[in-house]
Amino acid sequence: MSLPVPSGVPGLDEIVGGGIPAGSCVLIEGVPGAGKTTLGVQIAVSRARAGQRCLIIALEELPGQILRDAANFGWDLTDLERKGLMTLVCTSPDLLFEQLESGGGPVGTLLGSHEVDTVVLDSLDHLYVYGTPRTSQRTAVYSLINALKRSGVTAILTKELHSADPDLVPFEEYLSDVALRLTYELDANRRRFRYVEVLKSRGLPNRSGKHSFQITSTGFVVYPRLQVEPESDKQAPQHPDVVSSGMAGLDQMLDGGLPRGSATLVAGSAGVGKTTLALQFICAGADAGEPGLYLTFEETRGRLLQMACTLGLDLGKHVEQGLVEIVHEVPLGLDPDAFAHRVLQLMDELPASRLVVDSLSDLAAAIADPARLRETVYSLVENARRRGTTAILTIGVPELFGQTAALPEHISVIVDGIVLLKYLELESEIQRSVAVLKMRSTDHDKAIRRYIIGPGGFTVLERFEGAEGVMAGAPRSTPITLAVRSFTEFDERLNEQLLRRFAQINPNVQPIPMTLPYNPDEARLTIERSLAAPHTHLSVLPLCMYWMPQMIDPRKLTPVDDLCPDPEEHLSDLIECATVGGRLYAVPAIALCGVLLYRKDLLAKYGFETPPSTWEEVIEQAKTVLEGENDPDLEGYVFPGYLYEGISSTFLQNLWSNGGDVIDAKGHVMLEDDAAHEAACYMHDLVHVHRITPRDITGAQRGLEPQQEFWDGKVLFLTMLPTAALAMLEHGSPLHDRIGIAPPPRGPRGERSVSFLGGWHYAVPLNAKAPAAAAQFIQFMTNRQVQKERAIRGGALPTLKSLYDDPELLASHPHYHVLKEIVFTARSRHYIPRYLEVSSIMQRHLHSMLCGSLTPEAAVEAMARGVRALLA
Amino acid sequence: MQEKIRWLVEEVAQNIVGLDVALFFQAHPNVFDSAAGIAMRMGRQPEEVGEALERLASHGILEVYELGAGRYRCYALKRVEEVWNLLCRLSEMYLDDPPARREIIRMLVARVTAKGKRKDPDAAASEEVRE
């Protein structure tokens, strides 16, 4: 045998290994009506048209019939005969053998001339006289094939199959080089499809399996089953980008869009918007100049154009311009292989960047066999992917409401992504939800979101907050956790009341308060864990002001500019620290500062009419009162000495009030200068020299929350937040009218008293479960009314500057005259680079100093060294 | 009616079987077969077909081949333009021209009657209809 030559039958060469080997014997077997003769004649005509001489020997069919049948396919055998390229002979089997043996007659003469390229013999069955033993039949065929091969022709022999039994192996197959079996089979839908199978292809790699073929007006067309070759590393896309779905909200859910070359299944019940989504997808591509192919089974081309027009999409224009091709197929009678080939051909012709198959449910109606459906979809998806074509395949689900039954597993594993669209009943209203169940290699949104379909098309809205069971179609209310910051038990009760009121105003939200640890460093760990988690149960994050430079991250927080329409009304530092790139990421809720709380009654008793304004006065007044009272339970001066942020902020307050700083304007570390040294000495000496401060302020009990002893009347001076004093009334302390609030005392180098400014903000994490409820909550907790009410009731300080002059507030709390001065001149810590780490260094060495392990000199040197190394 | 056609009908075909064989070769000019094979394809008795084939061959309409040392006597249409045109004309008259068809049948019936055989026009017409 020689190299394969083209058969001239579209698709046939692909399945037989490239063509029909010259000089070979090809057996075409099939049931009646399968098209054996047509295929044989088509091959002969093709060869004749290529200039090769062919002979058709009809043992059964009369030549006139063959001529007429050929003419129906546009093959003019008479013309070919006239040109000497085709000879048609109708003869009897015994005469055929005689001609082959003797070399006489038209057959023998032609073959003897060695000018014939191809012989078609139709059919072998007529060689067998009734009752001829099988062994003789085999001998006859063997003899015939050898005679033909001696002549050097390519022999095409047809043979009837009397049974469609796939296990049947006619002996003729053993004698031939290529064996093709044509069948005409009923599918599960009682429709007949034609298949060709290569049973044998000696010496050539054939494509196994049954391949569809059709007998068209131009003859046989074979549609080889699509197959996917293993992909080499070079072919595999290394860095796939994304393409827009045409719906901004859906793109966000998909982590930017659909990965290019991916296939996404859009599942949903009838009328839920699958086709709308698909239309937007195809039009978005065309808008960007990307050609798209839309395969529709249910909706006609006209209906689709009308739908698109209603949605305001330019589909008609794109179709006119050739950017979008709409193909409408009727599922009934659809040949899967022919369909798949047509799709690939169209994809290549466009060439299509986007593909829509709308819908797989209709395709499944055409392909009753699930395995065949899977194979077809897989081939389409994989071929699309290798072309870089992004595909959306829609599929219907039977349930209008309620739990969606499992999607066909054989399909869902093929696709890269699954988007589920559902109806649901909520608040006596039919609503629609969208969820991305799967999207390979992306960090897609896990939320279930509401969407609407309007003139603009498919618009994704907010997630279903406060509702569980949405996917099951039966949503029920669910609590939402809203974390709040409380500083005292009173503060906590106040916050609980506010939350209850918020819940009354917003009945859809059932807030669960979560009180953060008092220690802001521990609170920070809680918040950081929430931000790092893929999804947090905290919809609102309280953020402390001094964390801000390192906590405000646009990749983790939602901008909240809309929730703070008048930022200039807040203390400017509180806004500045929460702003990145011109966007606000946290709304100020409460302000803080350090103050000196003192016992007015005790100072007055010993002749001190004003609280101490300098360190010297602190020491003098404390010593005087302690000596006079001679009460072993009375402490002179307590300040936060525990290993936490409080010790750093106390030191900073002293440092700034002594004219010092951590860094200068050029960023140089200043912690070794005299001001720093004196501030450290002051804190050290209060404990170890003057002994007016107890040593155990370094422990958690007294050094972390020392206000309780102050409320009990056992402390003269306390450096603390003003809330500690403001809450005394609510706490029921008998001393509540004997407490004074003063600015932090100055050091010898200090020209003025400087406190630290702190505060707490509310932010919404990007991974929040209920961002809409969070926004409502933030607006509620930060509005003027709530800030004022909280301040009047003795809670945290307002962030709104104007409230410090509010007559009602001043009438309730005259301290606000002093507090205004302190707050408005206080310094924030966020100007210090990497403050969290700087504070950590200061905490460690200051704590060691107060414990007596380090001298003040050693402590400031160590702090300076550590901070300098950190900021280098 | 053309003289050649009259000759073909009366002298060559001579009867309805002969006419049938002539029309068969016009419809299937590629047949190369024995009398038995042709008779099988035509659904007639080999003997009567054989007689007709011999007449057509003797008048130069068909060619005769001997194969297998005389075991097989085969017939094929003579590939001559004049013969082909004559058969085509006969076919047109018989199949597409009813008056001509009736005339051909009358000619055959008359010939049979003239030969004194018991075959009346009605029987010939019945045979025609059957064909």
Side-chain angles (χ1 to χ4, degrees):
Chain A
M1 281 191 295
S2 314
L3 289 173
V5 294
S7 66
V9 178
L12 182 64
D13 297 348
E14 212 174 310
I15 63 171
V16 295
I20 294 174
S24 65
C25 176
V26 179
L27 178 70
I28 303 173
E29 59 184 35
V31 294
K36 305 179 291 295
T37 307
T38 306
L39 178 58
V41 171
Q42 186 171 349
I43 294 171
V45 167
S46 169
R47 299 297 300 148
R49 284 176 175 172
Q52 302 297 325
R53 195 161 185 186
C54 299
L55 169 64
I56 297 174
I57 303 170
L59 296 181
E60 178 190 18
E61 211 167 334
L62 286 167
Q65 187 62 46
I66 293 176
L67 290 171
R68 281 194 294 276
D69 290 346
N72 287 337
F73 296 114
W75 308 327
D76 189 348
L77 298 188
T78 308
D79 181 57
L80 290 170
E81 273 194 301
R82 253 194 312 272
K83 292 173 180 169
L85 293 169
M86 179 74 76
T87 301
L88 181 60
V89 175
C90 176
T91 191
S92 296
D94 50 351
L95 280 181
L96 173 64
F97 278 111
E98 188 57 43
Q99 292 178 76
L100 290 173
E101 285 172 15
S102 66
V107 174
T109 307
L110 266 174
L111 293 179
S113 70
H114 291 281
E115 291 176 355
V116 178
D117 173 80
T118 300
V119 172
V120 177
L121 177 68
D122 183 37
S123 71
L124 282 179
D125 302 83
H126 286 266
L127 294 180
Y128 316 139
V129 180
Y130 179 73
T132 306
R134 198 170 171 79
T135 48
S136 298
Q137 290 178 7
R138 182 165 183 146
T139 305
V141 174
Y142 183 69
S143 165
L144 172 73
I145 290 173
N146 281 339
L148 292 171
K149 285 196 169 182
R150 269 200 311 276
S151 307
V153 301
T154 301
I156 297 169
L157 314 177
T158 68
K159 174 187 162 41
E160 290 174 8
L161 267 186
H162 301 289
S163 161
D165 179 2
D167 297 326
L168 180 71
V169 184
F171 68 82
E172 293 90 342
E173 287 180 18
Y174 295 102
L175 303 177
S176 57
D177 300 305
V178 177
L180 307 176
R181 178 173 290 184
L182 311 184
T183 51
Y184 196 27
E185 300 175 11
L186 272 178
D187 74 354
N189 292 333
R190 312 290 297 166
R191 292 167 305 184
R192 281 200 182 275
F193 288 98
R194 297 176 191 274
Y195 297 104
V196 55
E197 186 175 6
V198 183
L199 300 176
K200 180 180 181 181
S201 168
R202 195 175 278 163
L204 292 174
N206 64 68
R207 196 180 287 187
S208 66
K210 290 182 177 179
H211 309 274
S212 288
F213 73 87
Q214 291 178 350
I215 300 179
T216 69
S217 60
T218 56
F220 246 70
V221 178
V222 178
Y223 301 101
R225 290 165 71 142
L226 292 186
Q227 64 178 28
V228 180
E229 303 294 339
E231 194 173 39
S232 69
D233 290 343
K234 284 181 181 174
Q235 290 173 305
Q238 298 298 314
H239 301 290
D241 54 351
V242 295
V243 301
S244 171
S245 68
M247 292 143 278
L250 187 59
D251 285 349
Q252 281 181 4
M253 292 182 75
L254 293 166
D255 195 21
L258 295 157
R260 188 179 296 279
S262 66
T264 301
L265 189 67
V266 176
S269 49
V272 79
K274 302 185 293 296
T275 299
T276 301
L277 186 150
L279 282 172
Q280 281 188 257
F281 165 72
I282 213 83
C283 285
D287 289 342
E290 295 180 4
L293 175 62
Y294 197 111
L295 305 174
T296 171
F297 297 100
E298 188 179 337
E299 303 291 352
T300 62
R301 180 188 168 93
R303 281 268 306 143
L304 279 181
L305 289 169
Q306 193 180 359
M307 279 178 71
C309 187
T310 306
L311 293 166
L313 302 172
D314 283 336
L315 183 61
K317 185 186 80 181
H318 295 318
V319 169
E320 275 178 23
Q321 292 175 341
L323 269 173
V324 173
E325 176 87 27
I326 300 174
V327 176
H328 179 227
E329 289 276 1
V330 178
L332 295 176
L334 183 79
D335 182 323
D337 290 333
F339 165 74
H341 274 269
R342 187 171 177 213
V343 171
L344 293 190
Q345 188 182 350
L346 286 168
M347 281 170 59
D348 288 337
E349 283 172 7
L350 268 170
S353 293
R354 299 185 180 212
L355 169 70
V356 168
V357 181
D358 186 17
S359 71
L360 288 186
S361 309
D362 296 316
L363 193 60
I367 308 174
D369 180 4
R372 195 147 160 68
L373 175 66
R374 182 187 190 284
E375 182 184 295
T376 304
V377 175
Y378 174 74
S379 302
L380 275 179
V381 164
E382 193 56 27
N383 276 287
R385 190 177 73 78
R386 294 188 182 189
R387 287 165 167 78
T389 306
T390 311
I392 278 188
L393 305 94
T394 68
I395 190 167
V397 296
E399 304 83 7
L400 276 180
F401 295 92
Q403 189 79 43
T404 298
L407 292 167
E409 188 184 348
H410 55 286
I411 299 297
S412 55
V413 297
I414 292 173
V415 293
D416 302 289
I418 299 175
V419 173
L420 181 61
L421 308 179
K422 281 190 72 71
Y423 286 118
L424 57 95
E425 180 199 344
L426 198 62
E427 297 166 1
S428 301
E429 191 178 86
I430 306 298
Q431 300 198 16
R432 292 178 167 114
S433 70
V434 54
V436 179
L437 301 188
K438 160 183 167 181
M439 184 53 75
R440 283 185 189 132
S441 309
T442 66
D443 182 20
H444 64 81
D445 189 1
K446 311 297 186 298
I448 304 166
R449 294 185 182 275
R450 194 187 314 271
Y451 72 92
I452 54 171
I453 296 175
F458 194 101
T459 307
V460 178
L461 302 174
E462 74 284 354
R463 61 189 297 159
F464 283 96
E465 294 178 8
E468 288 178 344
V470 170
M471 293 291 278
R476 55 189 181 277
S477 293
T478 185
I480 294 171
T481 303
L482 298 168
V484 294
R485 181 72 168 108
S486 303
F487 301 96
T488 63
E489 287 177 18
F490 157 70
D491 211 21
E492 200 171 319
R493 285 199 301 278
L494 184 57
N495 277 330
E496 285 173 4
Q497 290 170 14
L498 287 170
L499 283 175
R500 277 199 294 276
R501 195 190 315 159
F502 171 68
Q504 286 169 353
I505 299 169
N506 299 276
N508 293 335
V509 182
Q510 294 180 34
I512 296 178
M514 193 195 86
T515 302
L516 293 171
Y518 176 81
N519 183 342
D521 294 335
E522 290 176 22
R524 181 163 56 87
L525 293 178
T526 304
I527 300 299
E528 283 176 342
R529 273 197 295 270
S530 288
L531 276 175
H535 298 283
T536 175
H537 67 289
L538 290 180
S539 293
V540 171
L541 293 183
L543 299 183
C544 189
M545 183 186 182
Y546 79 87
W547 306 341
M548 291 298 189
Q550 287 167 260
M551 195 71 94
I552 295 289
D553 185 346
R555 293 168 303 176
K556 294 181 177 177
L557 298 175
T558 306
V560 288
D561 307 80
D562 295 346
L563 307 180
C564 185
D566 299 309
E568 65 280 359
E569 289 192 359
H570 293 267
L571 293 163
S572 58
D573 276 3
L574 295 180
I575 293 294
E576 185 191 310
C577 71
T579 302
V580 173
R583 305 295 306 269
L584 188 68
Y585 287 90
V587 183
I590 56 177
L592 303 170
C593 64
V595 295
L596 182 72
L597 306 179
Y598 63 95
R599 287 278 300 276
K600 289 192 290 187
D601 57 327
L602 286 176
L603 292 188
K605 182 178 175 182
Y606 292 95
F608 299 113
E609 294 180 356
T610 57
S613 61
T614 64
W615 298 347
E616 273 186 19
E617 289 173 6
V618 168
I619 295 163
E620 181 199 347
Q621 290 183 10
K623 281 184 174 176
T624 303
V625 171
L626 289 177
E627 281 176 17
E629 290 294 305
N630 195 25
D631 178 355
D633 291 335
L634 183 66
E635 302 290 355
Y637 183 18
V638 171
F639 58 85
Y642 182 58
L643 188 68
Y644 85 114
E645 174 60 21
I647 196 171
S648 293
S649 51
T650 302
F651 173 73
L652 285 175
Q653 208 164 242
N654 291 327
L655 178 64
W656 292 333
S657 297
N658 194 35
D661 210 334
V662 177
I663 56 172
D664 62 16
K666 294 181 179 176
H668 297 135
V669 177
M670 300 171 64
L671 284 170
E672 285 171 307
D673 67 5
D674 291 340
H677 182 250
E678 287 165 4
C681 274
Y682 170 59
M683 292 170 70
H684 173 269
D685 291 353
L686 288 171
V687 178
H688 298 285
V689 177
H690 308 298
R691 301 181 188 276
I692 57 176
T693 297
R695 281 174 170 265
D696 60 2
I697 59 159
T698 55
Q701 189 176 358
R702 185 171 265 171
L704 187 61
E705 293 184 85
Q707 62 266 35
Q708 184 63 49
E709 289 184 330
F710 185 72
W711 292 341
D712 293 341
K714 294 175 183 172
V715 176
L716 175 63
F717 297 126
L718 173 68
T719 285
M720 203 57 207
L721 304 175
T723 46
L726 298 170
M728 287 181 78
L729 182 64
E730 285 286 336
H731 191 254
S733 170
L735 303 173
H736 70 270
D737 56 348
R738 300 176 207 170
I739 299 303
I741 297 178
R746 305 190 307 274
R749 297 173 191 274
E751 295 177 356
R752 63 182 182 90
S753 170
V754 180
S755 179
F756 68 86
L757 178 66
W760 283 79
H761 297 59
Y762 285 127
V764 182
L766 280 178
N767 54 0
K769 285 170 72 176
Q776 289 175 320
F777 175 75
I778 290 172
Q779 283 183 312
F780 173 80
M781 290 293 277
T782 59
N783 72 36
R784 183 179 178 84
Q785 185 58 36
V786 168
Q787 287 210 21
K788 180 177 173 180
E789 179 184 329
R790 192 163 48 202
I792 288 175
R793 294 183 62 182
L797 305 179
T799 63
L800 297 167
K801 291 180 283 191
S802 59
L803 279 177
Y804 288 84
D805 295 320
D806 186 89
E808 200 179 346
L809 179 56
L810 288 170
S812 301
H813 292 289
H815 299 302
Y816 266 84
H817 287 295
V818 178
L819 286 173
K820 179 184 176 185
E821 183 191 339
I822 298 171
V823 168
F824 280 41
T825 59
R827 291 185 65 179
S828 57
R829 288 156 283 180
H830 73 273
Y831 79 93
I832 301 170
R834 303 177 67 174
Y835 177 71
L836 290 175
E837 289 146 289
V838 169
S839 174
S840 177
I841 293 168
M842 293 197 300
Q843 286 173 33
R844 197 165 67 246
H845 299 302
L846 290 169
H847 188 259
S848 296
M849 181 190 77
L850 292 180
C851 290
S853 307
L854 282 179
T855 63
E857 294 79 4
V860 291
E861 277 177 21
M863 285 193 291
R865 198 166 48 248
V867 173
R868 195 173 287 121
L870 177 71
L871 302 181
Chain B
M1 182 172 287
Q2 286 179 358
E3 198 54 36
K4 273 286 184 186
I5 295 295
R6 186 176 293 278
W7 168 79
L8 183 60
V9 173
E10 291 187 333
E11 301 300 323
V12 183
Q14 293 189 5
N15 55 29
I16 201 74
V17 177
L19 177 68
D20 214 6
V21 171
L23 292 172
F24 175 81
F25 273 96
Q26 193 279 330
H28 308 294
N30 307 85
V31 168
F32 176 86
D33 215 338
S34 62
I38 294 168
M40 185 187 71
R41 294 176 199 283
M42 292 178 65
R44 288 187 175 277
Q45 293 299 316
E47 294 77 18
E48 59 181 6
V49 170
E51 287 173 14
L53 288 168
E54 284 300 323
R55 278 201 305 280
L56 265 70
S58 65
H59 286 87
I61 304 297
L62 302 180
E63 285 183 318
V64 178
Y65 295 82
E66 296 278 346
L67 293 177
R71 278 187 295 123
Y72 297 103
R73 186 172 172 82
C74 305
Y75 303 89
L77 182 67
K78 193 167 189 175
R79 298 288 182 160
V80 175
E81 192 172 355
E82 187 187 354
V83 169
W84 177 244
N85 289 339
L86 189 60
L87 288 179
C88 287
R89 180 67 190 135
L90 175 67
S91 175
E92 284 168 13
M93 291 175 71
Y94 190 74
L95 299 177
D96 304 329
D97 185 351
R101 177 191 181 93
R102 278 195 295 274
E103 178 65 21
I104 290 170
I105 291 170
R106 274 194 205 99
M107 288 163 60
L108 291 175
V109 170
R111 181 178 172 78
V112 170
T113 307
K115 278 195 160 185
K117 290 188 177 177
R118 297 178 60 197
K119 195 154 191 183
D120 57 31
D122 290 341
S126 300
E127 192 172 349
E128 171 202 338
V129 170
R130 197 181 72 237
E131 290 302 312

